[in-house]
Amino acid sequence: MAMMKIFFAIAMFAFCAVQADGQVVSGVVTNSTGMPEPGVNVVVLGTFSGTATDVNGTFRLQSNATDSITLRFSAIGQQTKDVRVVAANGVPLSIQMQPADHQLDEVTLYATRANRNTATTYSEIDKKTIESRNFGQDMPYILDQEPNVVVTSDAGAGVGYTGIRIRGSDPTRINVTV
């Protein structure tokens, strides 16, 4: 037991000695209106060391470098910003991010829907059919009478934990148009 305590003390001393080397960089990141910017990535360039700002836009980063380092601040919708920090400065940084303007190409959506000329099987259920089958159960039980549909219910009543399989596939692999 005494050996374990000595080992633990040596390990903690080594950890603290490593942490004492380098510098601690801290600060706050705001957006262009001066509001705190949470979720901004803060990375020491050339290393795998980094952190992210908290909900108040603040960050604290331990760097093993003893001289100057370059921090990269990046976030979705914001311009990336590189800041050079001189070692042993100790002054909290105040970084203001600027919005990034992105010109995107137009997006065109195409959709197809099965019909009687489509080379695939399909079922079209109208409002009247749904109303006649609806007894207050979950949606899978309303579709229970369709071909190749298997429904399950943990309680057996069709309310709560229900499941559906169409043509043997789970719900993530079937096309349902509502």
Side-chain angles (χ1 to χ4, degrees):
M1 188 66 166
M3 243 351 228
M4 187 67 137
K5 288 182 182 179
I6 292 171
F7 176 77
F8 182 74
I10 292 171
M12 287 304 293
F13 177 78
F15 177 76
C16 291
V18 169
Q19 292 297 317
D21 291 341
Q23 59 181 314
V24 175
V25 181
S26 64
V28 64
V29 179
T30 58
N31 60 22
S32 60
T33 63
M35 298 298 294
E37 189 69 24
V40 175
N41 296 315
V42 183
V43 178
V44 179
L45 286 183
T47 71
F48 295 105
S49 180
T51 187
T53 58
D54 62 13
V55 295
N56 298 318
T58 61
F59 69 93
R60 181 171 160 54
L61 181 67
Q62 175 76 34
S63 171
N64 292 332
T66 56
D67 52 355
S68 63
I69 58 172
T70 302
L71 297 178
R72 174 163 287 168
F73 297 86
S74 62
I76 295 175
Q78 303 291 334
Q79 292 179 4
T80 300
K81 189 172 202 170
D82 292 345
V83 176
R84 189 147 184 90
V85 178
V86 179
N89 191 349
V91 177
L93 298 174
S94 180
I95 306 297
Q96 186 174 39
M97 302 292 283
Q98 297 298 320
D101 295 328
H102 295 289
Q103 182 67 33
L104 301 176
D105 292 333
E106 68 180 36
V107 175
T108 305
L109 300 177
Y110 295 99
T112 59
R113 183 174 178 169
N115 59 36
R116 81 177 80 172
N117 296 326
T118 308
T120 184
T121 58
Y122 76 98
S123 295
E124 192 170 299
I125 306 168
D126 59 6
K127 182 178 178 179
K128 184 178 175 185
T129 305
I130 292 173
E131 287 174 351
S132 68
R133 294 180 185 175
N134 187 1
F135 298 110
Q137 296 168 312
D138 291 345
M139 182 59 88
Y141 272 80
I142 295 173
L143 301 175
D144 186 31
Q145 302 302 313
E146 294 304 309
N148 294 307
V149 173
V150 177
V151 298
T152 58
S153 174
D154 283 355
V159 178
Y161 295 103
T162 57
I164 184 171
R165 292 196 176 265
I166 299 177
R167 295 186 194 100
S169 297
D170 65 276
T172 62
R173 294 174 178 25
I174 57 173
N175 180 15
V176 176
T177 305
V178 179

